[in-house]
C-alpha cells in the first residue's frame, strides 16, 4: 500500500510539473507571437529603407545626350541636370554624343558598365531607330528610370516670306506640285515620323530632305535652303517673335495654352498629333536600388521644384513625371502607334538606298 501511495504521489508531481511547463510555454508563445508580428511589420520598412541606404552616387554621373548641343534634347537634359545635382549631391555631367540618328549615343550607354554612373537621356527617336533597322535594340533593352518631360509644342514652321499661311495653303500647293516642296528632317528622328504621318493624312507627297538635327534645320530655313521644317516651338520661338518664321500648326490634340495662337493640325482637318517625351535609361543590369534612387530624385525635381518648373516653362515644355513601370507602359503604347508607319518608313529608307546607288 505504501508503495502504491509513493507511485501515486510521484505521478501527481509529474503531472503538476507538466502543467507548469505547458503554461510557461503557452505564455512564452503569447509573448513571442506579438513580437514576431511586430517584426514582420518592420520588414517592409527595412525594404523601403534599402534604397536610402545604398551608397549612390559617390562620384559624378554622366548623362549621355544622343544629339548636338543647342537642341531641345540637350536643353532639357541640362536644365534637369542642374537641379538633379542638388538632389543627388554629385555633379551631373551632360555629354553630347551626336551622329547616326542618335544611335551612337544610345549604344554608348547600352555598352557601358551597369554601375549607375552612365545614363541615357533620350526621346521617341530610339523607337524609330529600331523601326528603321539602324539598331537591333530598343527602350526595353535598357533599365528605364522614368519619363521626366512631355513636349506638346511640335510644330511645322516656314520662313516668314513663305506663301504658306496655314496647312491648307501647304496642302493645296503640294497637290499641285507633288514632290517639290522641301521638308527638312533628320532621317530616323521624331520629325521624320511626323512628316510621314502628315503626308499620309493629307494625301500629299513632299520632298523630304535629311539636313541633320534641330540646329541644322533652323539654319536651313533661315537661309531659305528648304521650305518647311518640323521642330519644337521653343527652339524657334525667338525667330517667330522676331517675324522671321511662321508656325503653320501644332501637332497636339488641343491648342497648347503655352502657344494659344497656334492652331492644331486637327483644327485644320489633319487628324494627327504627336507628343515628344523625354526619359532616362540605364544599361541593363544596373542595380534596382540605384535606379530607384535616381528616379526618386527625378520625381522630386519634376514635381516639387518650382525653380525647375519656371525654367521648363521658358522652353514651353511640360514637366511630367512617370515612374519606371508607368513609363514603360506609356512608351509601349507609343511604339505600337509608330509601328503602324513601319511600311512607309521602310519605303523611304529603300528609296534612299536606290538614290545612293545611282
Amino acid at each position: 500500500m505504501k508503495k502504491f501511495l509513493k507511485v501515486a504521489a510521484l505521478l501527481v508531481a509529474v503531472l503538476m510539473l507538466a502543467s507548469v511547463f505547458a503554461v510557461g510555454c503557452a505564455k512564452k508563445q503569447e509573448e513571442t507571437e506579438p513580437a514576431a508580428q511586430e517584426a514582420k511589420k518592420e520588414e517592409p520598412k527595412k525594404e523601403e529603407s534599402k534604397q536610402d541606404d545604398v551608397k549612390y552616387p559617390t562620384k559624378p554621373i554622366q548623362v549621355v545626350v544622343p544629339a548636338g548641343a543647342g537642341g531641345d534634347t540637350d536643353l532639357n537634359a541640362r536644365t534637369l541636370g542642374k537641379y538633379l545635382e542638388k538632389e543627388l549631391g554629385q555633379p551631373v555631367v551632360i555629354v553630347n554624343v551626336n551622329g547616326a540618328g542618335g544611335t551612337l549615343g544610345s549604344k554608348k550607354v547600352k555598352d557601358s558598365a551597369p554601375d549607375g554612373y552612365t545614363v541615357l537621356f533620350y526621346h521617341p527617336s530610339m523607337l524609330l531607330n529600331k523601326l528603321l533597322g539602324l539598331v537591333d535594340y530598343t527602350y526595353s533593352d535598357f533599365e528605364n528610370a522614368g519619363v521626366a518631360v512631355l513636349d506638346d509644342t511640335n510644330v511645322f514652321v516656314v520662313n516668314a516670306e513663305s506663301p504658306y499661311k496655314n496647312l491648307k495653303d501647304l496642302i493645296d500647293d503640294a497637290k499641285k506640285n507633288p514632290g517639290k516642296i522641301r521638308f527638312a528632317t533628320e532621317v530616323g528622328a521624331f520629325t521624320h515620323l511626323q512628316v510621314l504621318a502628315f503626308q499620309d493624312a493629307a494625301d500629299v507627297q513632299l520632298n523630304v530632305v535629311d539636313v541633320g538635327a534641330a540646329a541644322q534645320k533652323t539654319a536651313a530655313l533661315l537661309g531659305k535652303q528648304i521650305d518647311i521644317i518640323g521642330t519644337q516651338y521653343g527652339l524657334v520661338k525667338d525667330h517667330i517673335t522676331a517675324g522671321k518664321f511662321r508656325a503653320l500648326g501644332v501637332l497636339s490634340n488641343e491648342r497648347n495654352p503655352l502657344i494659344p495662337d497656334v492652331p492644331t493640325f486637327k483644327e485644320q482637318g489633319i487628324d494627327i498629333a504627336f507628343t515628344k517625351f523625354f526619359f532616362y535609361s540605364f544599361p541593363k543590369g544596373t542595380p534596382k536600388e540605384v535606379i530607384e534612387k535616381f528616379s526618386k530624385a527625378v520625381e522630386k525635381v519634376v514635381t516639387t521644384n518650382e525653380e525647375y518648373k519656371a525654367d521648363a516653362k521658358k522652353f514651353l515644355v511640360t514637366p511630367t513625371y512617370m515612374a519606371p513601370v508607368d513609363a514603360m507602359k506609356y512608351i509601349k503604347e507609343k511604339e505600337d502607334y509608330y509601328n503602324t508607319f513601319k511600311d512607309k518608313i521602310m519605303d523611304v529608307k529603300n528609296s534612299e538606298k536606290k538614290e545612293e546607288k545611282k
Side-chain angles (χ1 to χ4, degrees), residues 63-78 93-109 119-126 129 186-191 212-217 232 235 276 278-279:
V63 175
V64 175
V65 174
D72 59 326
T73 312
D74 179 67
L75 289 171
N76 278 301
R78 291 182 186 280
V93 182
I94 307 302
V95 179
N96 298 94
V97 183
N98 197 13
T103 62
L104 295 183
S106 62
K107 191 172 189 309
K108 174 180 171 62
V109 176
V119 59
L120 178 71
F121 184 77
Y122 209 15
H123 51 64
S125 286
M126 176 179 275
N129 291 162
E186 180 180 17
V187 172
F190 195 41
T191 54
Q216 286 73 37
K217 289 187 293 184
Q232 279 63 55
L235 294 179
K276 194 170 189 178
F278 296 88
F279 59 90

Side-chain angles (χ1 to χ4, degrees), residues 96-245:
N96 298 94
V97 183
N98 197 13
T103 62
L104 295 183
S106 62
K107 191 172 189 309
K108 174 180 171 62
V109 176
K110 183 177 180 295
D111 295 342
S112 295
D115 56 8
Y117 292 97
T118 305
V119 59
L120 178 71
F121 184 77
Y122 209 15
H123 51 64
S125 286
M126 176 179 275
L127 283 63
L128 300 179
N129 291 162
K130 176 70 181 295
L131 268 180
L132 277 164
L134 299 177
V135 292
D136 59 358
Y137 58 84
T138 186
Y139 68 98
S140 55
D141 294 299
F142 294 76
E143 303 285 1
N144 192 277
V147 166
V149 183
L150 297 182
D151 189 343
D152 279 312
T153 68
N154 299 281
V155 288
F156 276 16
V157 178
V158 295
N159 193 290
E161 296 179 20
S162 168
Y164 312 134
K165 307 295 183 184
N166 49 48
L167 289 182
K168 184 179 182 303
D169 292 343
L170 171 63
I171 293 169
D172 288 346
D173 192 27
K175 287 183 182 295
K176 293 176 184 176
N177 301 286
K180 299 295 184 183
I181 300 171
R182 298 162 298 175
F183 184 99
T185 186
E186 180 180 17
V187 172
F190 195 41
T191 54
H192 189 183
L193 179 61
Q194 293 168 15
V195 69
L196 293 177
F198 171 73
Q199 289 181 137
D200 187 51
D203 192 25
V204 296
Q205 184 64 46
L206 304 180
N207 179 15
V208 180
V209 184
D210 185 353
V211 300
Q216 286 73 37
K217 289 187 293 184
T218 300
L221 188 61
L222 279 170
K224 300 178 186 177
Q225 298 165 347
I226 44 82
D227 302 303
I228 183 168
I229 64 173
T231 189
Q232 279 63 55
Y233 191 96
L235 294 179
V236 292
K237 178 183 176 182
D238 291 343
H239 294 305
I240 292 174
T241 302
K244 296 179 180 179
F245 286 175

Side-chain angles (χ1 to χ4, degrees), residues 260-274:
D261 296 331
V262 182
T264 66
F265 275 49
K266 291 188 175 185
E267 286 178 67
Q268 301 178 73
I270 305 301
D271 191 15
I272 55 174
F274 288 92

Side-chain angles (χ1 to χ4, degrees), residues 53-88:
D53 293 340
V54 65
K55 294 183 185 297
Y56 170 84
T58 59
K59 62 181 182 179
I61 299 171
Q62 185 180 85
V63 175
V64 175
V65 174
D72 59 326
T73 312
D74 179 67
L75 289 171
N76 278 301
R78 291 182 186 280
T79 305
L80 278 161
K82 180 172 66 173
Y83 296 99
L84 279 175
E85 286 187 341
K86 298 175 184 177
E87 291 299 324
L88 294 168

